[in-house]
Amino acid sequence: MLLKEIPPARSFLDPPEEAREELPDWYKSSRSDAWMSFQDIDWPKRSDEAWRFANLKKLSYENLYDAKESEINDAEQLVASSLSLKENAGQILFVNDRVIASPLLNEEFSKKGVIFQPLSQALIEHGGLVQDHFMTETSRLGSAKYTALHRARLRNGFFFYVPEGVSLTVPVEVFHWVSGNSASIFPHSLIVAGPGSSATVAEYVASINDEISFCCAVCDIHGEEDSQLTYLRTQNLSEKAQSIYQLSSRVASKAKLKTFNLDLGCEWVRNESVSRLVGEGATSEMLAVSVPEKSQEFDMRTLQLHEQRNTSSNLLYKNALYDDSKTTFAGMIVVEDEAHQTDAYQTCRNLLMSDTSEANSMPGLEIKADQVRCSHGATSSPVSKDELFYLQSRGVKEPAAQQLLTFGFVKEAVDRIGNNSLEEVILGKLGRRFNKIGAR
Amino acid sequence: MSTLEIKDLHASVNGTDILKGLSLSVPKGEVHAIMGPNGSGKSTLAKVMAGHQDYEVGSGDVLLDGYSLLEMDVDERARAGLFLAFQYPAEIPGVSNANFLRAARQARLPDGEEIDAVAFYQEMYEKMAKLGMDKKFTGRSVNEGFSGGEKKRNEVLQMMMLEPKYAVLDETDSGLDIDALKIVAEGVNAMRSEERGFLVITHYQRLLEYIVPDHVHVLNEGRIIRSGPKELALELEEKGYDWLKEGELVKS
């Protein structure tokens, strides 16, 4: 455990627990500084440009507490139900930000210098390496308050480091479970792909029970020269949960990064994703799928930041909205002065499965360089009548036809992951989701 | 009773009358061709039969073995045994051809019964081979990025997989080169049987050289103005439609 256990429930608006003695000094002070910043920074307001369309009323902190160590009745069962891929290079399982099963990394990879550890352990064993990469990015899309909160309160997470030239042929997997009413977790993900390395990371966040909870997560990715990294995250927290998730990546020269985010759970979600292309020839592909229903609200803000020439980014977000659900997408492409010959694409497509769902899209562009190819577009529409008619004309009943078309709609983004076993995991989750909605 | 019968059908789109009292009867075991100039109502007839929502039926009926198709939803019509090969088939991104066909076959099974996947794929591959379609088409999204000819072959593949009682082919020859036309025609001919009726809609006589009809009907301004044996198609090719329009003589 990273922190001393303190028995009484502690609201996360109270000062955080003290960090353990043996943790590095830089980390302890970073933590206390963050708590000071948190208190100084104003809460976001709907009138802030970065929070336009956001329904902040859905965020309530009144009765949220730092998640306590959970009593897991059947840890083995939980471990078994966590496994998603047939094969992985390693796995770490958390419940309430505490490791519940021994972290695993195939020996083959640990011999090559790969580090895959809970952050609490990595801070002690690889303090310098963690310090060089830990939360080096500033919050750019409006959630500075939550970035500070995360830094001040985080208890655990994982550190994944792939040394120069090492290739992991199968993904590593990280599971975060949350348990207990009004529990809040602050999982941290730190991924460093060394020069010329390649790896895949799959991270899953889910609730054990149908309870109120709050997840304030930060993921930092460093793709160094010539590296190839695929990172995938699925969020399936309870329908009463709230989630704020900030993903920042730095992609170096000729490195290729692909991120994929799937949101299914939560009453309210705020995702911020920033990809900085900091070296010539860097490539970033940003993919996301969400399927909100009932009164769920998913708010997504993105930034593709081209800082060097010959860089390319390609964003594709696809949302299928049911019932009274709502999505907000605000995407920005910035091409800096020096970033000539840049390719930047941004597409957000919303499929409206009901008359009462609402999709807000705000695509944006800011180009300061020459010879740039950029496009951005957002669409919102119901299922195509022609497609529906075609399916029905072959005898497929309307509900099944709707389901097939919606599945086809989101599949376009899933297909771009480019890893069959991961695509299967995602399609499996989506299939169950659509079946559940279809069976209502 | 074993007929597809169109009775005095009137239909309009956006308030414009297109079909103005069309009557036609296709018994099982026969192939009927409908020819007619552009704008005569050929495609409207196909869409109305399939149940497209943009078309409004004013009066008349379409009976499939005695049951009114117009009383059924689009998918019910298909399950009752009607198949329309579209002139412009829709593209469906993200839905593979195999999943599409599987859903269509699944819809014909009673609730709770599952399709035999192995047998299904085997049958599909056999039928694709007959149409000269590569196996890779099963994994591709329905009609997405298909050439005109590939789309038409895909329509015929669906017909072969769904084995309808009555098939309506709407301008299946358009966009096909001669080799593709022969393959598609062979596929249709292989399905001709005493248990199945065909209504082949075409603008040109060319298709009818390969799918030889039992009867030819000429459609003009929403009505059949002439019916006759297969030779009528050749006569039309030679003299054009104006020859008939002037007289507007209905002969059956």
Side-chain angles (χ1 to χ4, degrees):
Chain A
M1 294 307 135
L2 184 61
L3 301 157
K4 294 173 190 164
E5 289 296 336
I6 295 178
R10 181 190 290 266
S11 159
F12 78 60
L13 298 180
D14 293 335
E17 295 166 84
E18 266 178 54
R20 272 187 318 175
E21 210 53 43
E22 59 269 41
L23 290 173
D25 288 340
W26 69 265
Y27 178 75
K28 285 187 229 167
S29 50
S30 137
R31 201 174 155 85
S32 48
D33 291 351
W35 181 245
M36 306 245 283
S37 311
F38 172 73
Q39 289 167 302
D40 289 345
I41 302 170
D42 288 334
W43 290 102
K45 293 183 296 294
R46 202 182 153 98
S47 54
D48 298 343
E49 182 58 28
W51 291 83
R52 220 176 137 204
F53 292 112
N55 185 355
L56 289 159
K57 283 179 202 142
K58 282 210 169 186
L59 255 185
S60 152
Y61 307 115
E62 292 304 310
N63 299 305
L64 287 169
Y65 302 95
D66 285 353
K68 289 197 271 187
E69 187 162 11
S70 175
E71 287 175 17
I72 304 298
N73 299 325
D74 197 347
E76 277 178 27
Q77 170 69 34
L78 195 60
V79 172
S81 70
S82 300
L83 298 176
S84 290
L85 293 166
K86 288 188 188 86
E87 202 186 354
N88 64 31
Q91 69 198 51
I92 302 179
L93 276 76
F94 298 94
V95 172
N96 290 355
D97 288 340
R98 288 140 175 106
V99 179
I100 61 152
S102 304
L104 212 72
L105 178 67
N106 286 0
E107 207 180 334
E108 177 198 344
F109 299 117
S110 49
K111 276 183 187 158
K112 288 180 180 167
V114 175
I115 303 166
F116 181 53
Q117 290 182 338
L119 190 64
S120 54
Q121 185 183 350
L123 274 168
I124 293 166
E125 295 178 16
H126 305 281
L129 209 47
V130 173
Q131 186 179 11
D132 290 346
H133 300 96
F134 179 78
M135 296 189 78
T136 50
E137 294 297 307
T138 52
S139 177
R140 295 167 190 264
L141 295 174
S143 282
K145 180 92 171 168
Y146 301 99
T147 314
L149 180 71
H150 173 91
R151 191 197 278 254
R153 302 200 87 85
L154 87 92
R155 168 177 289 275
N156 218 333
F158 72 93
F159 177 56
F160 181 48
Y161 173 83
V162 190
E164 184 166 355
V166 174
S167 280
L168 270 77
T169 45
V170 282
V172 293
E173 291 185 285
V174 180
F175 303 84
H176 299 277
W177 294 96
V178 60
S179 168
N181 206 27
S182 302
S184 49
I185 60 170
F186 302 87
H188 190 84
S189 313
L190 181 53
I191 300 166
V192 182
S197 68
S198 70
T200 304
V201 183
E203 186 168 27
Y204 316 91
V205 186
S207 299
I208 292 179
N209 302 308
D210 185 25
E211 292 165 320
I212 294 170
S213 55
F214 176 69
C215 176
C216 179
V218 170
C219 175
D220 287 332
I221 294 175
H222 300 259
E224 295 179 357
E225 252 181 65
D226 265 324
S227 64
Q228 291 197 27
L229 185 79
T230 299
Y231 167 79
L232 169 148
R233 178 184 192 257
T234 69
Q235 179 277 115
N236 200 3
L237 290 163
S238 101
E239 284 175 20
K240 296 171 186 161
Q242 300 155 357
S243 164
I244 295 179
Y245 171 66
Q246 298 179 67
L247 169 64
S248 303
S249 64
R250 282 176 58 94
V251 192
S253 176
K254 291 183 199 149
K256 287 191 167 66
L257 172 69
K258 193 179 284 192
T259 59
F260 179 93
N261 200 51
L262 173 69
D263 274 291
L264 299 177
C266 281
E267 180 191 21
W268 185 91
V269 167
R270 167 92 175 186
N271 287 341
E272 295 182 4
S273 180
V274 179
S275 195
R276 288 180 61 194
L277 298 133
V278 298
E280 278 188 37
T283 302
S284 183
E285 196 164 356
M286 301 156 82
L287 307 167
V289 167
S290 86
V291 185
E293 57 163 345
K294 298 175 189 167
S295 59
Q296 287 181 302
E297 286 195 25
F298 296 169
D299 182 347
M300 304 155 220
R301 315 274 162 158
T302 67
L303 173 61
Q304 296 152 261
L305 186 50
H306 293 260
E307 299 178 23
Q308 290 295 328
R309 61 172 63 222
N310 261 320
T311 49
S312 68
S313 67
N314 199 341
L315 177 148
L316 178 64
Y317 275 41
K318 297 200 101 171
N319 309 308
L321 297 87
Y322 289 83
D323 311 322
D324 301 323
S325 64
K326 182 177 160 182
T327 59
T328 299
F329 170 81
M332 183 56 123
I333 295 173
V334 175
V335 181
E336 297 288 12
D337 299 336
E338 299 300 313
H340 306 296
Q341 281 98 35
T342 283
D343 284 357
Y345 305 103
Q346 181 198 91
T347 308
C348 174
R349 299 207 187 287
N350 301 296
L351 186 65
L352 305 173
M353 300 302 292
S354 79
D355 295 340
T356 48
S357 58
E358 181 187 328
N360 301 297
S361 302
M362 296 171 282
L365 272 179
E366 199 181 308
I367 299 173
K368 301 172 195 162
D370 308 320
Q371 292 177 293
V372 168
R373 282 193 297 181
C374 273
S375 77
H376 65 170
T379 56
S380 297
S381 61
V383 162
S384 150
K385 283 178 183 166
D386 288 339
E387 293 174 20
L388 193 61
F389 176 65
Y390 191 65
L391 280 169
Q392 287 182 279
S393 79
R394 298 304 180 239
V396 183
K397 293 171 191 167
E398 187 174 342
Q402 295 265 13
Q403 192 169 330
L404 212 53
L405 291 175
T406 321
F407 199 78
F409 170 80
V410 293
K411 195 168 174 287
E412 186 197 356
V414 180
D415 284 345
R416 298 238 304 243
I417 296 173
N419 175 313
N420 284 340
S421 53
L422 289 177
E423 286 171 19
E424 266 175 45
V425 169
I426 299 298
L427 291 176
K429 284 178 191 288
L430 284 167
R432 287 189 291 280
R433 176 73 160 185
F434 289 127
N435 282 338
K436 194 183 132 219
I437 292 172
R440 292 197 312 230
Chain B
M1 285 291 270
S2 287
T3 52
L4 180 64
E5 194 177 3
I6 303 163
K7 292 165 78 173
D8 193 27
L9 191 62
H10 289 74
S12 61
V13 59
N14 297 328
T16 308
D17 293 333
I18 309 283
L19 300 182
K20 302 165 183 170
L22 192 154
S23 294
L24 185 68
S25 186
V26 182
K28 273 188 186 159
E30 293 188 5
V31 174
H32 288 229
I34 290 190
M35 299 183 72
N38 290 330
S40 58
K42 299 191 300 290
S43 283
T44 297
L45 174 63
K47 295 266 179 63
V48 168
M49 288 167 76
H52 196 286
Q53 59 176 2
D54 289 352
Y55 298 83
E56 193 173 336
V57 175
S59 63
D61 209 345
V62 181
L63 303 173
L64 188 150
D65 294 347
Y67 294 96
S68 173
L69 282 179
L70 303 184
E71 298 297 315
M72 302 180 197
D73 287 339
V74 177
D75 53 308
E76 287 173 324
R77 296 177 194 207
R79 293 197 301 279
L82 181 77
F83 181 89
L84 169 61
F86 286 87
Q87 183 179 4
Y88 302 110
E91 299 186 3
I92 309 185
V95 178
S96 74
N97 242 344
N99 282 344
F100 169 60
L101 277 171
R102 205 172 152 161
R105 285 279 285 263
Q106 181 70 47
R108 286 160 170 79
L109 297 178
D111 277 349
E113 203 172 305
E114 279 292 321
I115 220 164
D116 177 346
V118 176
F120 167 77
Y121 270 91
Q122 198 178 348
E123 182 190 335
M124 184 168 58
Y125 288 145
E126 279 168 16
K127 289 177 172 168
M128 288 173 79
K130 280 185 189 159
L131 292 168
M133 289 175 80
D134 194 287
K135 278 185 181 179
K136 70 173 194 286
F137 279 97
T138 53
R140 282 178 57 180
S141 295
V142 178
N143 295 328
E144 195 184 32
F146 285 26
S147 70
E150 285 165 347
K151 283 181 183 170
K152 295 303 170 74
R153 281 186 214 206
N154 208 24
E155 293 293 288
V156 176
L157 172 67
Q158 290 166 35
M159 180 173 72
M160 291 168 86
M161 291 298 287
L162 300 176
E163 300 179 334
K165 290 178 184 157
Y166 298 94
V168 179
L169 276 56
D170 187 7
E171 308 260 359
T172 295
D173 50 334
S174 68
L176 291 188
D177 61 29
I178 195 72
D179 294 327
L181 183 66
K182 282 181 186 169
I183 291 168
V184 163
E186 275 169 32
V188 172
N189 287 331
M191 287 192 72
R192 289 176 79 152
S193 93
E194 288 304 307
E195 298 304 313
R196 187 169 292 125
F198 285 90
L199 187 59
V200 180
I201 296 172
T202 182
H203 186 75
Y204 299 106
Q205 187 268 343
R206 187 180 72 152
L207 177 68
L208 304 180
E209 284 175 25
Y210 299 96
I211 304 174
V212 180
D214 298 300
H215 295 277
V216 174
H217 308 275
V218 180
L219 182 66
N220 190 48
E221 293 187 6
R223 287 164 61 221
I224 302 291
I225 56 164
R226 174 76 75 103
S227 296
K230 61 175 183 267
E231 288 77 16
L232 179 58
L234 291 171
E235 214 172 341
L236 279 170
E237 184 83 352
E238 203 179 306
K239 300 183 181 172
Y241 289 106
D242 288 341
W243 154 68
L244 281 174
K245 281 187 201 171
E246 284 159 20
E248 287 233 349
L249 179 69
V250 182
K251 198 175 105 183
S252 43

PDB file of all heavy atoms in Angstrom, chain A residues 198-216:
ATOM      1  N   SER A 198       8.058  -1.515 -28.960  1.00  0.00           N
ATOM      2  CA  SER A 198       6.640  -1.603 -29.303  1.00  0.00           C
ATOM      3  C   SER A 198       5.891  -2.379 -28.232  1.00  0.00           C
ATOM      4  O   SER A 198       6.421  -3.337 -27.666  1.00  0.00           O
ATOM      5  CB  SER A 198       6.432  -2.233 -30.681  1.00  0.00           C
ATOM      6  OG  SER A 198       6.743  -3.585 -30.660  1.00  0.00           O
ATOM      7  N   ALA A 199       4.677  -1.941 -27.946  1.00  0.00           N
ATOM      8  CA  ALA A 199       3.895  -2.568 -26.875  1.00  0.00           C
ATOM      9  C   ALA A 199       2.426  -2.192 -26.997  1.00  0.00           C
ATOM     10  O   ALA A 199       2.052  -1.254 -27.716  1.00  0.00           O
ATOM     11  CB  ALA A 199       4.423  -2.112 -25.513  1.00  0.00           C
ATOM     12  N   THR A 200       1.610  -2.942 -26.279  1.00  0.00           N
ATOM     13  CA  THR A 200       0.174  -2.687 -26.238  1.00  0.00           C
ATOM     14  C   THR A 200      -0.306  -2.780 -24.794  1.00  0.00           C
ATOM     15  O   THR A 200       0.084  -3.689 -24.063  1.00  0.00           O
ATOM     16  CB  THR A 200      -0.582  -3.729 -27.093  1.00  0.00           C
ATOM     17  OG1 THR A 200      -0.056  -3.693 -28.414  1.00  0.00           O
ATOM     18  CG2 THR A 200      -2.064  -3.436 -27.149  1.00  0.00           C
ATOM     19  N   VAL A 201      -1.129  -1.822 -24.396  1.00  0.00           N
ATOM     20  CA  VAL A 201      -1.649  -1.789 -23.030  1.00  0.00           C
ATOM     21  C   VAL A 201      -3.173  -1.751 -23.081  1.00  0.00           C
ATOM     22  O   VAL A 201      -3.750  -0.971 -23.844  1.00  0.00           O
ATOM     23  CB  VAL A 201      -1.174  -0.519 -22.285  1.00  0.00           C
ATOM     24  CG1 VAL A 201      -1.661  -0.528 -20.838  1.00  0.00           C
ATOM     25  CG2 VAL A 201       0.328  -0.380 -22.352  1.00  0.00           C
ATOM     26  N   ALA A 202      -3.806  -2.595 -22.282  1.00  0.00           N
ATOM     27  CA  ALA A 202      -5.271  -2.546 -22.176  1.00  0.00           C
ATOM     28  C   ALA A 202      -5.640  -2.293 -20.724  1.00  0.00           C
ATOM     29  O   ALA A 202      -5.160  -2.976 -19.825  1.00  0.00           O
ATOM     30  CB  ALA A 202      -5.882  -3.852 -22.656  1.00  0.00           C
ATOM     31  N   GLU A 203      -6.462  -1.277 -20.488  1.00  0.00           N
ATOM     32  CA  GLU A 203      -6.835  -0.906 -19.127  1.00  0.00           C
ATOM     33  C   GLU A 203      -8.358  -0.894 -19.025  1.00  0.00           C
ATOM     34  O   GLU A 203      -9.042  -0.381 -19.906  1.00  0.00           O
ATOM     35  CB  GLU A 203      -6.268   0.485 -18.814  1.00  0.00           C
ATOM     36  CG  GLU A 203      -6.477   0.916 -17.387  1.00  0.00           C
ATOM     37  CD  GLU A 203      -5.652   2.170 -17.029  1.00  0.00           C
ATOM     38  OE1 GLU A 203      -5.350   2.964 -17.923  1.00  0.00           O
ATOM     39  OE2 GLU A 203      -5.334   2.338 -15.834  1.00  0.00           O
ATOM     40  N   TYR A 204      -8.859  -1.488 -17.947  1.00  0.00           N
ATOM     41  CA  TYR A 204     -10.302  -1.599 -17.799  1.00  0.00           C
ATOM     42  C   TYR A 204     -10.714  -1.030 -16.444  1.00  0.00           C
ATOM     43  O   TYR A 204     -10.095  -1.347 -15.428  1.00  0.00           O
ATOM     44  CB  TYR A 204     -10.757  -3.059 -17.847  1.00  0.00           C
ATOM     45  CG  TYR A 204     -10.104  -3.889 -18.935  1.00  0.00           C
ATOM     46  CD1 TYR A 204      -8.935  -4.596 -18.680  1.00  0.00           C
ATOM     47  CD2 TYR A 204     -10.662  -3.966 -20.210  1.00  0.00           C
ATOM     48  CE1 TYR A 204      -8.339  -5.367 -19.673  1.00  0.00           C
ATOM     49  CE2 TYR A 204     -10.081  -4.742 -21.212  1.00  0.00           C
ATOM     50  CZ  TYR A 204      -8.909  -5.439 -20.936  1.00  0.00           C
ATOM     51  OH  TYR A 204      -8.323  -6.191 -21.908  1.00  0.00           O
ATOM     52  N   VAL A 205     -11.748  -0.208 -16.432  1.00  0.00           N
ATOM     53  CA  VAL A 205     -12.265   0.353 -15.188  1.00  0.00           C
ATOM     54  C   VAL A 205     -13.725  -0.063 -15.051  1.00  0.00           C
ATOM     55  O   VAL A 205     -14.508   0.136 -15.980  1.00  0.00           O
ATOM     56  CB  VAL A 205     -12.189   1.894 -15.204  1.00  0.00           C
ATOM     57  CG1 VAL A 205     -12.582   2.468 -13.852  1.00  0.00           C
ATOM     58  CG2 VAL A 205     -10.796   2.354 -15.586  1.00  0.00           C
ATOM     59  N   ALA A 206     -14.083  -0.650 -13.918  1.00  0.00           N
ATOM     60  CA  ALA A 206     -15.467  -1.113 -13.757  1.00  0.00           C
ATOM     61  C   ALA A 206     -15.862  -1.134 -12.286  1.00  0.00           C
ATOM     62  O   ALA A 206     -15.013  -1.148 -11.395  1.00  0.00           O
ATOM     63  CB  ALA A 206     -15.638  -2.502 -14.359  1.00  0.00           C
ATOM     64  N   SER A 207     -17.173  -1.126 -12.043  1.00  0.00           N
ATOM     65  CA  SER A 207     -17.708  -1.215 -10.677  1.00  0.00           C
ATOM     66  C   SER A 207     -18.042  -2.656 -10.347  1.00  0.00           C
ATOM     67  O   SER A 207     -18.477  -3.406 -11.217  1.00  0.00           O
ATOM     68  CB  SER A 207     -19.000  -0.407 -10.553  1.00  0.00           C
ATOM     69  OG  SER A 207     -18.764   0.945 -10.821  1.00  0.00           O
ATOM     70  N   ILE A 208     -17.857  -3.015  -9.086  1.00  0.00           N
ATOM     71  CA  ILE A 208     -18.278  -4.352  -8.670  1.00  0.00           C
ATOM     72  C   ILE A 208     -19.788  -4.362  -8.445  1.00  0.00           C
ATOM     73  O   ILE A 208     -20.482  -5.285  -8.835  1.00  0.00           O
ATOM     74  CB  ILE A 208     -17.519  -4.793  -7.397  1.00  0.00           C
ATOM     75  CG1 ILE A 208     -16.033  -5.000  -7.761  1.00  0.00           C
ATOM     76  CG2 ILE A 208     -18.117  -6.067  -6.811  1.00  0.00           C
ATOM     77  CD1 ILE A 208     -15.145  -5.407  -6.608  1.00  0.00           C
ATOM     78  N   ASN A 209     -20.282  -3.307  -7.814  1.00  0.00           N
ATOM     79  CA  ASN A 209     -21.719  -3.222  -7.538  1.00  0.00           C
ATOM     80  C   ASN A 209     -22.319  -1.965  -8.160  1.00  0.00           C
ATOM     81  O   ASN A 209     -21.608  -1.066  -8.589  1.00  0.00           O
ATOM     82  CB  ASN A 209     -21.969  -3.180  -6.027  1.00  0.00           C
ATOM     83  CG  ASN A 209     -21.383  -4.385  -5.335  1.00  0.00           C
ATOM     84  OD1 ASN A 209     -21.641  -5.517  -5.729  1.00  0.00           O
ATOM     85  ND2 ASN A 209     -20.556  -4.142  -4.329  1.00  0.00           N
ATOM     86  N   ASP A 210     -23.633  -1.922  -8.142  1.00  0.00           N
ATOM     87  CA  ASP A 210     -24.332  -0.776  -8.695  1.00  0.00           C
ATOM     88  C   ASP A 210     -24.396   0.330  -7.633  1.00  0.00           C
ATOM     89  O   ASP A 210     -25.401   0.519  -6.973  1.00  0.00           O
ATOM     90  CB  ASP A 210     -25.744  -1.221  -9.108  1.00  0.00           C
ATOM     91  CG  ASP A 210     -26.494  -0.107  -9.795  1.00  0.00           C
ATOM     92  OD1 ASP A 210     -25.825   0.779 -10.364  1.00  0.00           O
ATOM     93  OD2 ASP A 210     -27.737  -0.114  -9.755  1.00  0.00           O
ATOM     94  N   GLU A 211     -23.256   1.016  -7.463  1.00  0.00           N
ATOM     95  CA  GLU A 211     -23.164   2.011  -6.384  1.00  0.00           C
ATOM     96  C   GLU A 211     -22.682   3.354  -6.918  1.00  0.00           C
ATOM     97  O   GLU A 211     -22.081   3.427  -7.984  1.00  0.00           O
ATOM     98  CB  GLU A 211     -22.138   1.528  -5.332  1.00  0.00           C
ATOM     99  CG  GLU A 211     -22.601   0.301  -4.582  1.00  0.00           C
ATOM    100  CD  GLU A 211     -21.447  -0.363  -3.832  1.00  0.00           C
ATOM    101  OE1 GLU A 211     -20.324  -0.435  -4.362  1.00  0.00           O
ATOM    102  OE2 GLU A 211     -21.685  -0.815  -2.712  1.00  0.00           O
ATOM    103  N   ILE A 212     -22.908   4.372  -6.118  1.00  0.00           N
ATOM    104  CA  ILE A 212     -22.365   5.693  -6.428  1.00  0.00           C
ATOM    105  C   ILE A 212     -20.861   5.631  -6.257  1.00  0.00           C
ATOM    106  O   ILE A 212     -20.363   5.064  -5.273  1.00  0.00           O
ATOM    107  CB  ILE A 212     -22.948   6.748  -5.469  1.00  0.00           C
ATOM    108  CG1 ILE A 212     -24.452   6.905  -5.710  1.00  0.00           C
ATOM    109  CG2 ILE A 212     -22.235   8.086  -5.618  1.00  0.00           C
ATOM    110  CD1 ILE A 212     -25.148   7.751  -4.651  1.00  0.00           C
ATOM    111  N   SER A 213     -20.131   6.154  -7.210  1.00  0.00           N
ATOM    112  CA  SER A 213     -18.677   6.231  -7.027  1.00  0.00           C
ATOM    113  C   SER A 213     -18.127   7.334  -7.918  1.00  0.00           C
ATOM    114  O   SER A 213     -18.825   7.864  -8.784  1.00  0.00           O
ATOM    115  CB  SER A 213     -18.013   4.893  -7.323  1.00  0.00           C
ATOM    116  OG  SER A 213     -18.355   4.446  -8.608  1.00  0.00           O
ATOM    117  N   PHE A 214     -16.871   7.636  -7.684  1.00  0.00           N
ATOM    118  CA  PHE A 214     -16.223   8.706  -8.439  1.00  0.00           C
ATOM    119  C   PHE A 214     -14.829   8.239  -8.811  1.00  0.00           C
ATOM    120  O   PHE A 214     -14.081   7.734  -7.972  1.00  0.00           O
ATOM    121  CB  PHE A 214     -16.152   9.972  -7.573  1.00  0.00           C
ATOM    122  CG  PHE A 214     -15.421  11.123  -8.217  1.00  0.00           C
ATOM    123  CD1 PHE A 214     -15.961  11.783  -9.316  1.00  0.00           C
ATOM    124  CD2 PHE A 214     -14.207  11.557  -7.719  1.00  0.00           C
ATOM    125  CE1 PHE A 214     -15.290  12.852  -9.906  1.00  0.00           C
ATOM    126  CE2 PHE A 214     -13.534  12.639  -8.293  1.00  0.00           C
ATOM    127  CZ  PHE A 214     -14.087  13.287  -9.390  1.00  0.00           C
ATOM    128  N   CYS A 215     -14.498   8.391 -10.088  1.00  0.00           N
ATOM    129  CA  CYS A 215     -13.173   7.994 -10.563  1.00  0.00           C
ATOM    130  C   CYS A 215     -12.513   9.210 -11.192  1.00  0.00           C
ATOM    131  O   CYS A 215     -13.064   9.813 -12.111  1.00  0.00           O
ATOM    132  CB  CYS A 215     -13.308   6.876 -11.588  1.00  0.00           C
ATOM    133  SG  CYS A 215     -11.735   6.390 -12.328  1.00  0.00           S
ATOM    134  N   CYS A 216     -11.362   9.580 -10.659  1.00  0.00           N
ATOM    135  CA  CYS A 216     -10.624  10.734 -11.187  1.00  0.00           C
ATOM    136  C   CYS A 216      -9.260  10.223 -11.640  1.00  0.00           C
ATOM    137  O   CYS A 216      -8.355  10.056 -10.828  1.00  0.00           O
ATOM    138  CB  CYS A 216     -10.492  11.803 -10.104  1.00  0.00           C
ATOM    139  SG  CYS A 216      -9.587  13.270 -10.606  1.00  0.00           S
TER     140      CYS A 216
END
